[in-house]
Amino acid sequence: MSDTRDAALKEIATLNDSAAQPQSQNGAERFHYPSQEVVEHANVTAYMKAKGFNAFDELYAWSIQNPQEFWSDQAKELEWFEPWEEVLDESTAPFYKWFVGAKTNIVHNAIDRHARTWRRNKLALIWEGEDGSHRTYSYHTLDREVSKIASVLKSMGVQKGDIVTIYLPRIPELMLCMLACAKIGAAHSVVYGGFSVEALADRMDDAKSKLLITADGGFMRNKVIELKKIADEAMARTPTIQSCIVVKRTGHDVNMESGRDLWLHDLMALPIASPNCPTEPMDAEDMLFILYTSGTTGRPKGVVHTHGGYMVGAYTTLKFVFDIKEEDRWWCAADPGWITGHSYIVYSPLLAGATSFMYEGAPNYPYPDRWWQLVSRHAISILYTAPTAIRGLMRFGEAWPNRHDLSNLRLLGSVGEPINPEAWRWYHHVIGKDRCPIMDTWWQTETGHFMITPTPVTPLKPGSATRPFFGIEVDVVHEDGSSCDANEDGLLVIKRPWPGMMRTILNDPERYVSTYWDKEPVNMYTVGDSARKDEDGYIWVIGRLDDVIKVSGYRLGTAEVESALVSHQSVAEAAAIGLPHDIKGSAIHAFVILREGFEGSPKLEEELRAHVGHELGPIARPDAINFVSTLPKTRSGKIMRRVLKAQALGQDVGDISTLES
Ligand code: PRX
């Protein structure tokens, strides 16, 4: 063993042996240390050794002093049609550019380069339907299928720069269609299959999509979700859509409008579906996708990501954080319709040449051990999910996971919201058998990839996403931009650009600047989360500072729920807040002022909940609706949701000097 690795292992061993293990600011938590075996075999240890460093902290410090060297090291592991002239261009900040002048295509690195090596016969994707059916795709098959869809799209007139909206359930076609768009240089805008009419129509409208790809339906708990019906209603509200490709999943009868709607399987049977479709060379800064995310006010924002920087960030973070190896079976249990799925189901596993697993249905269908059965049946070695799923499965008890062989697992992951220590311990002990480190990854739709996260060699503290990734510098600051003291609550900020960062908000660059870059301290990216940093430099994310509610890890804006409510004929005004919920993390509670002539009743409450479900989607259905005659507002007319929340929780309402009298 080399001196470098020896020294690193010694450092970890010393930490392990330390009698006075540091305590977190939360009191009782001690560090959880990775085993020597994990440390020894970690990709990050190999990189540390290659760079000639003795300790992880030294490597991190170097990456912060030389971020461009760190990121270009990583970029060189991927293929480029033309090299970059500059790693980072800051001259147009905050519209940063990465890998300036380079040409590539993420699909070239995700598929093409594997399909010409021995990996052509390696499984890229294993999919299991809720009904137990299976489909598998080798890199070769993936290449053929993606090429065929790409050829079809091209012959239907889809061009470089167009935005195709995709509204599909969790089936392989979702991934295939995303990759097909990217291959020919069109951007995709995936709308989560759990969203509904208004959400889909708004997103198609903003993106000015001419083509929608949807399905006849999807399965969830053996019920059919009628995606085509929702899509029909949404298309009726969207003037730009000209064609709609429909994937057959359920086989149920659906309306097919002649001249607009086409079955994918019919198109794939035509000669236009050629398996030979060239991958379009793209500028590193060309748009790869947009993904809408909820913000404080107004409509969701179309977050723009690019081919070059996003590719490098997604690839690097998966490799180091989840330590992907050739023989792994990786399962990111998110939905591809959210950023977690974009980055860690679709793109990064393929960039790494890994085998990914995808499951269509609900975690507890038909029984609460479905997930554990899947882990065992498919020999999953790394599982990445959200605290809400862990809490949901935890309530069924240990007996369910204990019936299954989970011994292939070697790493676990968490994302979406802070993980409560109780869920962390259950996950660690019952699922990971106390030997699988948990990678609690903090990031956002906007950041594109992990930002604050452990690697397998990082000593862990349950509930903390630990420390920033290589090349990433974060701080917790006061409103005026000055750094907070250890353990003091403040605003989380990112102090320098990173490759996978969003480039702008589609059609609204001013909003990009004002939302993320306009606050003190200038030139720092404002995340929108409150957090604290403890005496060991570990970050503890507390939650959103704005009016974003995290329901089961999904991000929803109060503004969206409120606008869905006021679109009902009975509602004059509405306010939505998030209140704590044992499993979902937060649940939506709404306060509604009715129009003249309407009266609050349990029936109307149910009707309004269903209306929000219909317009936005089942995840946005409020748990409770309260009929009120006034809403607390500032003198300038802004609803004070903070007051509603404090009242609902029986807390002190705080400073209400700006309250309208
Ligand atoms: O509040 C943070 C929370 O999720 C927000 C980002 O949401 P979204 O864009 O939907 O992306 C979710 C998946 C990447 C953040 O601002 N969040 C995400 N991960 C964590 C988290 N909060 C605490 N710990 C995390 N690991």
Side-chain angles (χ1 to χ4, degrees), residues 293 338-340 384 414-419 440-446 452 463 465 527-529 541 543-544 550 553-555:
T293 192
W338 296 85
I339 191 69
T340 312
Y384 181 39
S414 174
V415 61
E417 54 180 321
I419 179 165
D440 179 353
T441 61
W442 179 92
W443 59 297
Q444 307 179 296
T445 307
E446 294 89 335
I452 305 174
V527 158
D529 283 2
V541 173
R544 298 290 307 182
K550 278 276 175 155
Y554 295 129
R555 181 166 161 182

Side-chain angles (χ1 to χ4, degrees), residues 7-36:
L9 291 175
K10 229 192 256 153
E11 192 206 24
I12 302 275
T14 324
L15 282 170
N16 275 329
D17 291 338
S18 158
Q21 289 187 355
Q23 307 267 312
S24 82
Q25 101 290 1
N26 282 7
E29 292 302 341
R30 289 178 182 280
F31 281 121
H32 283 250
Y33 294 93
S35 70
Q36 287 230 355

Side-chain angles (χ1 to χ4, degrees), residues 20-215:
Q21 289 187 355
Q23 307 267 312
S24 82
Q25 101 290 1
N26 282 7
E29 292 302 341
R30 289 178 182 280
F31 281 121
H32 283 250
Y33 294 93
S35 70
Q36 287 230 355
E37 201 199 335
V38 169
V39 174
E40 202 169 318
H41 293 107
N43 289 343
V44 70
T45 307
Y47 183 60
M48 184 172 87
K49 191 180 134 197
K51 293 303 269 186
F53 292 109
N54 291 321
F56 181 90
D57 284 355
E58 282 176 23
L59 173 59
Y60 175 74
W62 167 82
S63 78
I64 288 301
Q65 279 146 18
N66 306 279
Q68 300 195 20
E69 194 180 331
F70 170 72
W71 290 115
S72 65
D73 258 9
Q74 301 306 314
K76 283 177 196 156
E77 293 183 10
L78 299 163
E79 292 182 356
W80 303 78
F81 304 131
E82 276 173 42
W84 51 92
E85 290 142 21
E86 226 185 329
V87 177
L88 170 65
D89 176 3
E90 303 192 70
S91 64
T92 46
F95 298 93
Y96 295 95
K97 296 192 186 99
W98 282 84
F99 305 106
V100 184
K103 296 262 185 289
T104 188
N105 185 311
I106 198 165
V107 174
H108 174 81
N109 280 295
I111 304 180
D112 306 4
R113 75 183 173 123
H114 304 309
R116 56 163 205 257
T117 68
W118 66 269
R119 282 205 197 100
R120 74 170 69 88
N121 291 326
K122 177 175 175 176
L123 287 186
L125 177 68
I126 304 170
W127 174 84
E128 183 166 321
E130 199 182 66
D131 57 4
S133 56
H134 288 97
R135 276 154 74 182
T136 55
Y137 293 80
S138 65
Y139 276 91
H140 172 77
T141 321
L142 190 66
D143 186 22
R144 275 182 65 87
E145 293 300 304
V146 168
S147 294
K148 285 172 73 175
I149 299 176
S151 301
V152 165
L153 296 181
K154 249 184 162 171
S155 62
M156 286 176 71
V158 177
Q159 289 176 350
K160 190 168 170 173
D162 285 351
I163 303 174
V164 175
T165 299
I166 302 178
Y167 180 58
L168 285 172
R170 220 175 300 155
I171 53 176
E173 283 80 1
L174 175 45
M175 190 163 162
L176 302 178
C177 292
M178 288 166 73
L179 291 159
C181 289
K183 188 175 173 76
I184 59 170
H188 51 74
S189 165
V190 178
V191 178
Y192 169 56
F195 273 139
S196 197
V197 182
E198 184 180 283
L200 176 60
D202 273 358
R203 286 158 175 77
M204 289 195 293
D205 206 28
D206 188 67
K208 298 187 184 55
S209 280
K210 286 186 269 190
L211 173 68
L212 169 70
I213 307 179
T214 187

Side-chain angles (χ1 to χ4, degrees), residues 335-409:
D335 192 283
W338 296 85
I339 191 69
T340 312
H342 276 54
S343 300
Y344 297 102
I345 297 178
V346 179
Y347 288 112
S348 67
L350 297 178
L351 289 167
T355 300
S356 222
F357 174 71
M358 181 166 148
Y359 166 61
E360 176 183 41
N364 55 351
Y365 185 83
Y367 298 109
D369 62 344
R370 182 64 185 266
W371 267 23
W372 317 125
Q373 190 186 60
L374 293 172
V375 168
S376 162
R377 182 186 297 155
H378 297 283
I380 303 298
S381 54
I382 313 173
L383 171 66
Y384 181 39
T385 183
T388 182
I390 299 162
R391 290 192 296 263
L393 291 168
M394 197 170 114
R395 78 195 144 127
F396 298 114
E398 293 186 22
W400 292 101
N402 287 347
R403 287 168 51 180
H404 299 277
D405 175 9
L406 307 179
S407 62
N408 270 299
L409 285 173

